[in-house]
Amino acid sequence: MSTEQLEKRLRRRSIHRSRSTALAITLIIVVVVAAWIGTEAVLKAIGQRPLLADPQTVADTALKPDAAFTTIAEVIAAVLVVLGIILIVLAVKPGRQPRSGIDRDRGAVVIDTRILASTAANAAALAAGVPESNTSASARGHHTEVHVVPLSGIPVDRTRVEQAVQDRLGRLGGKHGRSVKVTVEQKGTLA
């Protein structure tokens, strides 16, 4: 494996959330149920009393249910459906962490998106001539949104702010700063 492939893999593993916890929990549940069924089968084979319930009795009751068993079966089925939906969502959902990769020649670099947002807010504040407390930003993937509250009586050039944010984020890597949306409030605050 080349260094470039390794760095790309490291970046991806740092940005995407692991699904190993959900997998481990699911496997533990399957192992416990299988161990219970195996234990009950062995106890029945050697003529001992069952730990919880005899598998044959459970199967016979399932085939000829009474009202109490039907209610219990419905509750178990509902829990299994919810668990199944959760596992499907975990399997399909991308699982991104709030991080982003930065292209560098010297290695794999991963940065928290809050740092990207803070950098964008700082650049917007400098370009708009407002205190940094009058700007806020959010970054997700390649998209950055900046919100500027101007000082009363001092206009803010939205395109200048947008260009300043794009330039600052563009220094971090090629993909950052491509999609910047700047919103300037109509009403300002007192200086």
Side-chain angles (χ1 to χ4, degrees):
M1 183 180 297
S2 72
T3 306
E4 184 179 316
Q5 289 173 326
L6 181 63
E7 288 174 2
K8 187 176 180 181
R9 189 172 181 187
L10 285 172
R11 231 182 283 127
R12 176 163 170 55
R13 289 183 64 92
S14 297
I15 292 171
H16 292 84
R17 191 173 291 123
S18 172
R19 293 181 176 101
S20 61
T21 304
L23 178 66
I25 291 171
T26 303
L27 288 177
I28 288 171
I29 291 171
V30 169
V31 166
V32 168
V33 169
W36 171 72
I37 291 172
T39 303
E40 295 293 3
V42 168
L43 289 175
K44 176 146 176 101
I46 61 173
Q48 297 291 323
R49 289 178 357 125
L51 289 175
L52 299 174
D54 179 22
Q56 186 62 45
T57 307
V58 172
D60 291 341
T61 307
L63 295 175
K64 298 176 185 172
D66 61 351
F69 182 81
T70 303
T71 304
I72 292 171
E74 288 171 350
V75 169
I76 291 173
V79 168
L80 289 176
V81 165
V82 169
L83 183 63
I85 290 171
I86 290 171
L87 290 175
I88 288 171
V89 167
L90 285 174
V92 174
K93 201 170 105 174
R96 274 187 69 86
Q97 297 278 38
R99 299 178 188 145
S100 185
I102 295 178
D103 299 327
R104 290 287 178 225
D105 296 336
R106 296 179 54 192
V109 178
V110 177
I111 189 168
D112 193 89
T113 54
R114 290 177 291 195
I115 294 172
L116 290 172
S118 178
T119 301
N122 178 270
L126 289 174
V130 298
E132 199 168 334
S133 60
N134 285 26
T135 60
S136 62
S138 65
R140 179 147 176 91
H142 307 304
H143 306 289
T144 306
E145 293 185 16
V146 180
H147 185 78
V148 179
V149 179
L151 297 174
S152 291
I154 302 174
V156 172
D157 183 7
R158 191 187 66 75
T159 55
R160 181 175 171 214
V161 172
E162 189 173 300
Q163 186 61 44
V165 172
Q166 286 176 342
D167 290 345
R168 177 83 66 91
L169 292 179
R171 288 187 230 152
L172 296 176
K175 61 187 173 185
H176 300 293
R178 286 185 185 166
S179 176
V180 175
K181 179 183 175 191
V182 175
T183 306
V184 179
E185 283 291 316
Q186 296 297 323
K187 295 182 181 180
T189 60
L190 296 176

